[in-house]
Short mmCIF file of all heavy atoms in Angstrom, two decimals:
data_model
loop_
_atom_site.label_atom_id
_atom_site.label_comp_id
_atom_site.label_asym_id
_atom_site.label_seq_id
_atom_site.Cartn_x
_atom_site.Cartn_y
_atom_site.Cartn_z
N MET A 1 8.66 -3.90 28.25
CA MET A 1 7.64 -3.46 27.28
C MET A 1 7.35 -4.57 26.28
O MET A 1 8.28 -5.16 25.76
CB MET A 1 8.17 -2.22 26.53
CG MET A 1 7.07 -1.33 25.99
SD MET A 1 7.75 0.12 25.18
CE MET A 1 8.27 1.08 26.59
N PRO A 2 6.09 -4.86 26.06
CA PRO A 2 5.75 -5.99 25.17
C PRO A 2 5.98 -5.66 23.69
O PRO A 2 5.96 -4.49 23.29
CB PRO A 2 4.27 -6.24 25.45
CG PRO A 2 3.75 -4.93 25.92
CD PRO A 2 4.90 -4.25 26.63
N ILE A 3 6.19 -6.70 22.93
CA ILE A 3 6.35 -6.54 21.48
C ILE A 3 5.04 -6.90 20.80
O ILE A 3 4.44 -7.93 21.09
CB ILE A 3 7.48 -7.46 20.96
CG1 ILE A 3 8.81 -7.03 21.54
CG2 ILE A 3 7.52 -7.43 19.43
CD1 ILE A 3 9.96 -7.93 21.13
N TYR A 4 4.60 -6.03 19.91
CA TYR A 4 3.39 -6.29 19.14
C TYR A 4 3.73 -6.43 17.66
O TYR A 4 4.71 -5.84 17.19
CB TYR A 4 2.37 -5.16 19.34
CG TYR A 4 1.89 -5.07 20.76
CD1 TYR A 4 2.39 -4.10 21.61
CD2 TYR A 4 0.94 -5.96 21.24
CE1 TYR A 4 1.95 -4.01 22.92
CE2 TYR A 4 0.51 -5.89 22.55
CZ TYR A 4 1.01 -4.91 23.39
OH TYR A 4 0.59 -4.83 24.69
N GLU A 5 2.92 -7.17 16.97
CA GLU A 5 3.10 -7.34 15.53
C GLU A 5 2.14 -6.45 14.77
O GLU A 5 0.97 -6.31 15.14
CB GLU A 5 2.83 -8.79 15.14
CG GLU A 5 3.97 -9.72 15.45
CD GLU A 5 3.68 -11.09 14.88
OE1 GLU A 5 2.88 -11.82 15.47
OE2 GLU A 5 4.25 -11.41 13.84
N TYR A 6 2.65 -5.89 13.70
CA TYR A 6 1.83 -5.03 12.87
C TYR A 6 1.95 -5.46 11.42
O TYR A 6 2.98 -5.95 10.99
CB TYR A 6 2.28 -3.56 13.02
CG TYR A 6 2.09 -3.05 14.43
CD1 TYR A 6 3.06 -3.26 15.39
CD2 TYR A 6 0.93 -2.39 14.79
CE1 TYR A 6 2.88 -2.81 16.68
CE2 TYR A 6 0.74 -1.93 16.08
CZ TYR A 6 1.72 -2.15 17.03
OH TYR A 6 1.55 -1.71 18.30
N LYS A 7 0.86 -5.24 10.70
CA LYS A 7 0.87 -5.59 9.29
C LYS A 7 0.46 -4.37 8.48
O LYS A 7 -0.57 -3.75 8.74
CB LYS A 7 -0.09 -6.75 9.02
CG LYS A 7 -0.07 -7.19 7.55
CD LYS A 7 -0.97 -8.39 7.34
CE LYS A 7 -0.91 -8.85 5.89
NZ LYS A 7 -1.77 -10.02 5.64
N CYS A 8 1.26 -4.07 7.47
CA CYS A 8 0.96 -2.95 6.60
C CYS A 8 -0.23 -3.28 5.70
O CYS A 8 -0.30 -4.36 5.12
CB CYS A 8 2.19 -2.63 5.75
SG CYS A 8 1.86 -1.37 4.51
N GLU A 9 -1.17 -2.35 5.63
CA GLU A 9 -2.37 -2.59 4.83
C GLU A 9 -2.09 -2.45 3.34
O GLU A 9 -2.84 -2.93 2.51
CB GLU A 9 -3.45 -1.61 5.24
CG GLU A 9 -3.83 -1.73 6.70
CD GLU A 9 -5.31 -1.51 6.92
OE1 GLU A 9 -5.78 -0.43 6.59
OE2 GLU A 9 -5.96 -2.44 7.39
N LYS A 10 -1.02 -1.78 3.01
CA LYS A 10 -0.73 -1.51 1.60
C LYS A 10 0.16 -2.58 0.97
O LYS A 10 -0.17 -3.15 -0.05
CB LYS A 10 -0.06 -0.14 1.47
CG LYS A 10 0.08 0.32 0.03
CD LYS A 10 0.53 1.77 -0.02
CE LYS A 10 0.55 2.26 -1.47
NZ LYS A 10 0.98 3.67 -1.54
N CYS A 11 1.29 -2.86 1.62
CA CYS A 11 2.24 -3.80 1.00
C CYS A 11 2.26 -5.15 1.71
O CYS A 11 2.92 -6.07 1.26
CB CYS A 11 3.64 -3.19 0.97
SG CYS A 11 4.44 -3.09 2.58
N GLY A 12 1.54 -5.26 2.83
CA GLY A 12 1.45 -6.54 3.52
C GLY A 12 2.67 -6.87 4.37
O GLY A 12 2.79 -7.97 4.88
N ASN A 13 3.55 -5.90 4.52
CA ASN A 13 4.73 -6.13 5.34
C ASN A 13 4.34 -6.36 6.80
O ASN A 13 3.49 -5.68 7.34
CB ASN A 13 5.64 -4.90 5.24
CG ASN A 13 6.92 -5.08 6.02
OD1 ASN A 13 7.47 -6.17 6.08
ND2 ASN A 13 7.41 -4.01 6.60
N ILE A 14 4.97 -7.36 7.41
CA ILE A 14 4.72 -7.65 8.82
C ILE A 14 5.98 -7.33 9.61
O ILE A 14 7.08 -7.76 9.25
CB ILE A 14 4.32 -9.12 9.02
CG1 ILE A 14 3.00 -9.40 8.31
CG2 ILE A 14 4.20 -9.45 10.50
CD1 ILE A 14 2.58 -10.87 8.36
N PHE A 15 5.82 -6.57 10.66
CA PHE A 15 6.98 -6.19 11.46
C PHE A 15 6.57 -6.09 12.93
O PHE A 15 5.39 -6.08 13.26
CB PHE A 15 7.57 -4.87 10.96
CG PHE A 15 6.57 -3.73 10.94
CD1 PHE A 15 6.51 -2.83 11.99
CD2 PHE A 15 5.71 -3.58 9.87
CE1 PHE A 15 5.60 -1.78 11.97
CE2 PHE A 15 4.78 -2.55 9.85
CZ PHE A 15 4.73 -1.64 10.89
N GLU A 16 7.57 -6.03 13.78
CA GLU A 16 7.31 -5.97 15.22
C GLU A 16 7.71 -4.62 15.77
O GLU A 16 8.68 -4.01 15.31
CB GLU A 16 8.10 -7.07 15.94
CG GLU A 16 7.65 -8.46 15.56
CD GLU A 16 8.52 -9.52 16.23
OE1 GLU A 16 9.65 -9.20 16.61
OE2 GLU A 16 8.06 -10.66 16.36
N GLU A 17 6.96 -4.17 16.76
CA GLU A 17 7.26 -2.90 17.41
C GLU A 17 7.18 -3.09 18.93
O GLU A 17 6.28 -3.76 19.43
CB GLU A 17 6.25 -1.82 17.00
CG GLU A 17 6.41 -1.34 15.57
CD GLU A 17 7.43 -0.23 15.46
OE1 GLU A 17 7.78 0.37 16.49
OE2 GLU A 17 7.90 0.01 14.34
N LEU A 18 8.12 -2.49 19.61
CA LEU A 18 8.05 -2.44 21.07
C LEU A 18 7.16 -1.28 21.47
O LEU A 18 7.46 -0.13 21.16
CB LEU A 18 9.46 -2.23 21.65
CG LEU A 18 10.24 -3.46 22.05
CD1 LEU A 18 11.66 -3.04 22.45
CD2 LEU A 18 9.60 -4.17 23.22
N ARG A 19 6.07 -1.59 22.15
CA ARG A 19 5.15 -0.51 22.50
C ARG A 19 4.56 -0.74 23.88
O ARG A 19 4.39 -1.87 24.33
CB ARG A 19 4.01 -0.43 21.49
CG ARG A 19 4.45 -0.27 20.07
CD ARG A 19 3.38 0.36 19.28
NE ARG A 19 3.75 1.69 18.84
CZ ARG A 19 2.92 2.51 18.20
NH1 ARG A 19 1.71 2.15 17.97
NH2 ARG A 19 3.32 3.69 17.82
N GLY A 20 4.20 0.36 24.52
CA GLY A 20 3.49 0.26 25.79
C GLY A 20 2.05 -0.16 25.57
O GLY A 20 1.51 0.00 24.47
N LEU A 21 1.46 -0.69 26.60
CA LEU A 21 0.08 -1.16 26.50
C LEU A 21 -0.87 -0.09 25.99
O LEU A 21 -1.74 -0.33 25.17
CB LEU A 21 -0.41 -1.62 27.88
CG LEU A 21 -0.29 -3.11 28.19
CD1 LEU A 21 -0.85 -3.39 29.58
CD2 LEU A 21 -1.05 -3.93 27.16
N SER A 22 -0.69 1.13 26.46
CA SER A 22 -1.61 2.21 26.11
C SER A 22 -1.43 2.68 24.68
O SER A 22 -2.26 3.40 24.15
CB SER A 22 -1.43 3.39 27.08
OG SER A 22 -0.09 3.82 27.07
N HIS A 23 -0.35 2.24 24.03
CA HIS A 23 -0.07 2.69 22.66
C HIS A 23 -0.16 1.57 21.65
O HIS A 23 0.15 1.77 20.48
CB HIS A 23 1.33 3.33 22.58
CG HIS A 23 1.46 4.55 23.42
ND1 HIS A 23 0.85 5.73 23.12
CD2 HIS A 23 2.14 4.76 24.56
CE1 HIS A 23 1.14 6.64 24.05
NE2 HIS A 23 1.93 6.07 24.93
N ARG A 24 -0.57 0.40 22.09
CA ARG A 24 -0.49 -0.76 21.21
C ARG A 24 -1.41 -0.64 19.99
O ARG A 24 -1.14 -1.23 18.95
CB ARG A 24 -0.81 -2.04 21.97
CG ARG A 24 -2.23 -2.08 22.50
CD ARG A 24 -2.49 -3.36 23.27
NE ARG A 24 -3.88 -3.39 23.75
CZ ARG A 24 -4.43 -4.39 24.41
NH1 ARG A 24 -3.67 -5.44 24.67
NH2 ARG A 24 -5.67 -4.36 24.81
N ASP A 25 -2.51 0.11 20.13
CA ASP A 25 -3.44 0.24 19.01
C ASP A 25 -3.28 1.54 18.25
O ASP A 25 -4.07 1.85 17.36
CB ASP A 25 -4.87 0.10 19.51
CG ASP A 25 -5.21 -1.34 19.90
OD1 ASP A 25 -4.70 -2.25 19.22
OD2 ASP A 25 -5.94 -1.53 20.87
N ASP A 26 -2.27 2.29 18.59
CA ASP A 26 -2.00 3.51 17.84
C ASP A 26 -1.51 3.17 16.44
O ASP A 26 -0.89 2.12 16.23
CB ASP A 26 -0.93 4.34 18.55
CG ASP A 26 -1.47 4.98 19.82
OD1 ASP A 26 -2.65 4.78 20.13
OD2 ASP A 26 -0.69 5.67 20.49
N PRO A 27 -1.78 4.02 15.47
CA PRO A 27 -1.31 3.76 14.11
C PRO A 27 0.22 3.70 14.07
O PRO A 27 0.91 4.45 14.75
CB PRO A 27 -1.81 4.97 13.33
CG PRO A 27 -2.94 5.52 14.12
CD PRO A 27 -2.60 5.24 15.56
N VAL A 28 0.71 2.80 13.23
CA VAL A 28 2.14 2.62 13.05
C VAL A 28 2.48 2.82 11.59
O VAL A 28 1.67 2.47 10.71
CB VAL A 28 2.60 1.21 13.48
CG1 VAL A 28 4.11 1.15 13.61
CG2 VAL A 28 1.94 0.82 14.78
N GLU A 29 3.63 3.36 11.35
CA GLU A 29 4.04 3.56 9.96
C GLU A 29 4.87 2.38 9.48
O GLU A 29 5.81 1.95 10.14
CB GLU A 29 4.86 4.85 9.86
CG GLU A 29 5.12 5.26 8.43
CD GLU A 29 5.87 6.57 8.37
OE1 GLU A 29 5.22 7.63 8.37
OE2 GLU A 29 7.11 6.54 8.34
N CYS A 30 4.50 1.85 8.31
CA CYS A 30 5.25 0.76 7.72
C CYS A 30 6.67 1.22 7.38
O CYS A 30 6.84 2.27 6.76
CB CYS A 30 4.53 0.29 6.45
SG CYS A 30 5.48 -0.91 5.51
N PRO A 31 7.68 0.47 7.80
CA PRO A 31 9.06 0.85 7.51
C PRO A 31 9.41 0.75 6.04
O PRO A 31 10.41 1.33 5.60
CB PRO A 31 9.89 -0.14 8.35
CG PRO A 31 8.98 -1.30 8.58
CD PRO A 31 7.58 -0.75 8.61
N ASP A 32 8.64 0.03 5.28
CA ASP A 32 8.93 -0.13 3.85
C ASP A 32 8.29 0.95 2.99
O ASP A 32 8.94 1.60 2.20
CB ASP A 32 8.45 -1.51 3.38
CG ASP A 32 9.43 -2.60 3.79
OD1 ASP A 32 10.49 -2.24 4.34
OD2 ASP A 32 9.13 -3.76 3.58
N CYS A 33 6.97 1.13 3.14
CA CYS A 33 6.28 2.04 2.24
C CYS A 33 5.66 3.22 2.97
O CYS A 33 5.06 4.09 2.34
CB CYS A 33 5.20 1.28 1.45
SG CYS A 33 3.81 0.76 2.48
N HIS A 34 5.81 3.26 4.28
CA HIS A 34 5.35 4.40 5.10
C HIS A 34 3.84 4.58 5.04
O HIS A 34 3.34 5.68 5.29
CB HIS A 34 6.07 5.69 4.68
CG HIS A 34 7.56 5.56 4.76
ND1 HIS A 34 8.24 5.52 5.97
CD2 HIS A 34 8.49 5.45 3.79
CE1 HIS A 34 9.53 5.40 5.72
NE2 HIS A 34 9.70 5.35 4.41
N SER A 35 3.13 3.52 4.76
CA SER A 35 1.68 3.55 4.88
C SER A 35 1.29 3.12 6.29
O SER A 35 2.13 2.67 7.07
CB SER A 35 1.03 2.62 3.85
OG SER A 35 1.27 3.09 2.55
N GLU A 36 0.02 3.20 6.56
CA GLU A 36 -0.44 2.85 7.90
C GLU A 36 -0.51 1.34 8.08
O GLU A 36 -1.04 0.63 7.23
CB GLU A 36 -1.81 3.47 8.16
CG GLU A 36 -2.28 3.25 9.60
CD GLU A 36 -3.59 3.96 9.88
OE1 GLU A 36 -3.72 5.15 9.55
OE2 GLU A 36 -4.50 3.31 10.43
N ALA A 37 0.01 0.87 9.19
CA ALA A 37 -0.04 -0.55 9.51
C ALA A 37 -0.89 -0.73 10.75
O ALA A 37 -0.94 0.14 11.62
CB ALA A 37 1.36 -1.09 9.75
N LYS A 38 -1.54 -1.87 10.83
CA LYS A 38 -2.40 -2.15 11.98
C LYS A 38 -1.90 -3.35 12.75
O LYS A 38 -1.30 -4.27 12.19
CB LYS A 38 -3.84 -2.38 11.51
CG LYS A 38 -4.48 -1.09 11.02
CD LYS A 38 -5.96 -1.28 10.79
CE LYS A 38 -6.60 0.07 10.44
NZ LYS A 38 -8.04 -0.07 10.20
N ARG A 39 -2.23 -3.37 14.02
CA ARG A 39 -1.75 -4.42 14.89
C ARG A 39 -2.41 -5.76 14.55
O ARG A 39 -3.60 -5.84 14.31
CB ARG A 39 -2.06 -4.07 16.35
CG ARG A 39 -1.45 -5.05 17.34
CD ARG A 39 -1.53 -4.49 18.74
NE ARG A 39 -2.91 -4.33 19.18
CZ ARG A 39 -3.58 -5.27 19.88
NH1 ARG A 39 -3.00 -6.41 20.19
NH2 ARG A 39 -4.81 -5.06 20.26
N ILE A 40 -1.60 -6.78 14.54
CA ILE A 40 -2.10 -8.13 14.35
C ILE A 40 -2.41 -8.72 15.71
O ILE A 40 -1.58 -8.71 16.61
CB ILE A 40 -1.05 -9.01 13.64
CG1 ILE A 40 -0.74 -8.47 12.26
CG2 ILE A 40 -1.54 -10.45 13.55
CD1 ILE A 40 0.41 -9.20 11.61
N VAL A 41 -3.61 -9.24 15.85
CA VAL A 41 -3.97 -9.91 17.09
C VAL A 41 -3.61 -11.38 16.95
O VAL A 41 -4.29 -12.14 16.26
CB VAL A 41 -5.46 -9.74 17.41
CG1 VAL A 41 -5.80 -10.44 18.72
CG2 VAL A 41 -5.82 -8.27 17.49
N SER A 42 -2.54 -11.76 17.57
CA SER A 42 -2.07 -13.12 17.45
C SER A 42 -2.07 -13.81 18.80
O SER A 42 -1.60 -13.25 19.78
CB SER A 42 -0.66 -13.13 16.85
OG SER A 42 -0.16 -14.44 16.82
N GLN A 43 -2.59 -15.00 18.83
CA GLN A 43 -2.62 -15.74 20.09
C GLN A 43 -1.37 -16.59 20.27
O GLN A 43 -1.21 -17.25 21.26
CB GLN A 43 -3.86 -16.64 20.13
CG GLN A 43 -5.15 -15.82 20.15
CD GLN A 43 -6.37 -16.71 20.20
OE1 GLN A 43 -6.30 -17.85 19.79
NE2 GLN A 43 -7.48 -16.18 20.68
N CYS A 44 -0.51 -16.60 19.29
CA CYS A 44 0.66 -17.45 19.37
C CYS A 44 1.93 -16.64 19.13
O CYS A 44 2.90 -17.14 18.59
CB CYS A 44 0.58 -18.58 18.35
SG CYS A 44 0.36 -17.98 16.68
N ALA A 45 1.91 -15.39 19.56
CA ALA A 45 3.04 -14.51 19.31
C ALA A 45 4.32 -15.03 19.97
O ALA A 45 5.41 -14.84 19.46
CB ALA A 45 2.73 -13.10 19.83
N ALA A 46 4.17 -15.71 21.10
CA ALA A 46 5.33 -16.16 21.83
C ALA A 46 6.04 -17.29 21.10
O ALA A 46 7.22 -17.55 21.32
CB ALA A 46 4.93 -16.62 23.23
N SER A 47 5.34 -17.98 20.21
CA SER A 47 5.93 -19.14 19.56
C SER A 47 6.48 -18.82 18.17
O SER A 47 7.03 -19.68 17.51
CB SER A 47 4.88 -20.25 19.44
OG SER A 47 3.84 -19.86 18.58
N ILE A 48 6.35 -17.57 17.77
CA ILE A 48 6.80 -17.21 16.44
C ILE A 48 8.33 -17.16 16.37
O ILE A 48 8.95 -17.69 15.47
CB ILE A 48 6.19 -15.86 16.02
CG1 ILE A 48 4.69 -16.03 15.81
CG2 ILE A 48 6.83 -15.36 14.73
CD1 ILE A 48 3.96 -14.73 15.53
N GLY A 49 8.93 -16.49 17.35
CA GLY A 49 10.37 -16.51 17.46
C GLY A 49 11.13 -15.92 16.29
O GLY A 49 12.21 -16.36 15.95
N GLY A 50 10.56 -14.94 15.65
CA GLY A 50 11.29 -14.23 14.60
C GLY A 50 11.05 -14.77 13.21
O GLY A 50 11.39 -14.13 12.23
N SER A 51 10.48 -15.96 13.09
CA SER A 51 10.21 -16.51 11.77
C SER A 51 8.73 -16.41 11.45
O SER A 51 7.90 -16.81 12.25
CB SER A 51 10.63 -17.98 11.72
OG SER A 51 10.19 -18.57 10.51
N TYR A 52 8.42 -15.88 10.31
CA TYR A 52 7.02 -15.72 9.93
C TYR A 52 6.54 -16.86 9.03
O TYR A 52 5.40 -16.87 8.61
CB TYR A 52 6.82 -14.39 9.22
CG TYR A 52 7.16 -13.23 10.10
CD1 TYR A 52 8.23 -12.41 9.79
CD2 TYR A 52 6.42 -12.96 11.24
CE1 TYR A 52 8.56 -11.35 10.60
CE2 TYR A 52 6.74 -11.90 12.05
CZ TYR A 52 7.82 -11.09 11.73
OH TYR A 52 8.13 -10.05 12.53
N SER A 53 7.41 -17.78 8.74
CA SER A 53 7.05 -18.83 7.80
C SER A 53 6.00 -19.78 8.37
O SER A 53 5.26 -20.41 7.63
CB SER A 53 8.29 -19.63 7.39
OG SER A 53 8.89 -20.19 8.53
N THR A 54 5.94 -19.85 9.70
CA THR A 54 5.01 -20.78 10.30
C THR A 54 3.67 -20.13 10.62
O THR A 54 2.73 -20.81 10.97
CB THR A 54 5.59 -21.37 11.60
OG1 THR A 54 5.90 -20.30 12.48
CG2 THR A 54 6.83 -22.19 11.32
N VAL A 55 3.62 -18.81 10.51
CA VAL A 55 2.37 -18.12 10.79
C VAL A 55 1.35 -18.52 9.73
O VAL A 55 1.61 -18.50 8.54
CB VAL A 55 2.57 -16.60 10.76
CG1 VAL A 55 1.21 -15.90 10.92
CG2 VAL A 55 3.50 -16.17 11.87
N GLY A 56 0.17 -18.87 10.18
CA GLY A 56 -0.86 -19.29 9.25
C GLY A 56 -1.02 -20.79 9.24
O GLY A 56 -2.12 -21.29 9.23
N SER A 57 0.08 -21.49 9.27
CA SER A 57 -0.02 -22.93 9.28
C SER A 57 -0.26 -23.46 10.69
O SER A 57 -1.15 -24.26 10.93
CB SER A 57 1.24 -23.56 8.69
OG SER A 57 2.38 -23.14 9.40
N SER A 58 0.52 -22.95 11.64
CA SER A 58 0.40 -23.46 12.99
C SER A 58 -0.58 -22.64 13.83
O SER A 58 -1.08 -23.12 14.83
CB SER A 58 1.76 -23.48 13.67
OG SER A 58 2.29 -22.17 13.77
N CYS A 59 -0.82 -21.42 13.42
CA CYS A 59 -1.67 -20.55 14.24
C CYS A 59 -3.01 -20.29 13.59
O CYS A 59 -3.85 -19.64 14.19
CB CYS A 59 -0.95 -19.23 14.48
SG CYS A 59 0.67 -19.43 15.19
N GLY A 60 -3.20 -20.70 12.37
CA GLY A 60 -4.44 -20.39 11.68
C GLY A 60 -4.38 -19.00 11.06
O GLY A 60 -3.62 -18.16 11.48
N SER A 61 -5.18 -18.79 10.04
CA SER A 61 -5.13 -17.51 9.33
C SER A 61 -6.26 -16.57 9.76
O SER A 61 -6.41 -15.50 9.23
CB SER A 61 -5.21 -17.74 7.83
OG SER A 61 -6.37 -18.50 7.53
N GLY A 62 -7.06 -16.99 10.73
CA GLY A 62 -8.22 -16.19 11.11
C GLY A 62 -7.89 -14.93 11.87
O GLY A 62 -8.67 -14.00 11.91
N GLY A 63 -6.69 -14.86 12.42
CA GLY A 63 -6.36 -13.70 13.24
C GLY A 63 -5.91 -12.48 12.45
O GLY A 63 -5.64 -11.44 13.00
N PHE A 64 -5.83 -12.59 11.14
CA PHE A 64 -5.27 -11.52 10.34
C PHE A 64 -6.33 -10.57 9.79
O PHE A 64 -6.02 -9.55 9.25
CB PHE A 64 -4.46 -12.08 9.18
CG PHE A 64 -3.08 -12.55 9.59
CD1 PHE A 64 -2.83 -12.87 10.89
CD2 PHE A 64 -2.07 -12.65 8.65
CE1 PHE A 64 -1.57 -13.29 11.29
CE2 PHE A 64 -0.80 -13.07 9.03
CZ PHE A 64 -0.54 -13.40 10.35
N SER A 65 -7.58 -10.95 9.90
CA SER A 65 -8.61 -10.11 9.30
C SER A 65 -9.07 -9.04 10.29
O SER A 65 -8.91 -9.19 11.46
CB SER A 65 -9.78 -10.97 8.86
OG SER A 65 -10.28 -11.73 9.93
ZN1 LIG B 1 4.03 -1.14 3.66
#
């Protein structure tokens, strides 16, 4: 099952969820504030490797909107 990244619209928390293809765009609850989070479409998800510090610099910030 693939891992998708989600970003909370309220607190900006970014987290990963294991989800099936058919559920990847379903609403997710932020683990921090329990608001709705939306999936981040990232073209470089495989290169992130658990660290978010490089996101934006190496992948560009255009995928977050
Ligand atoms: Zn949140």
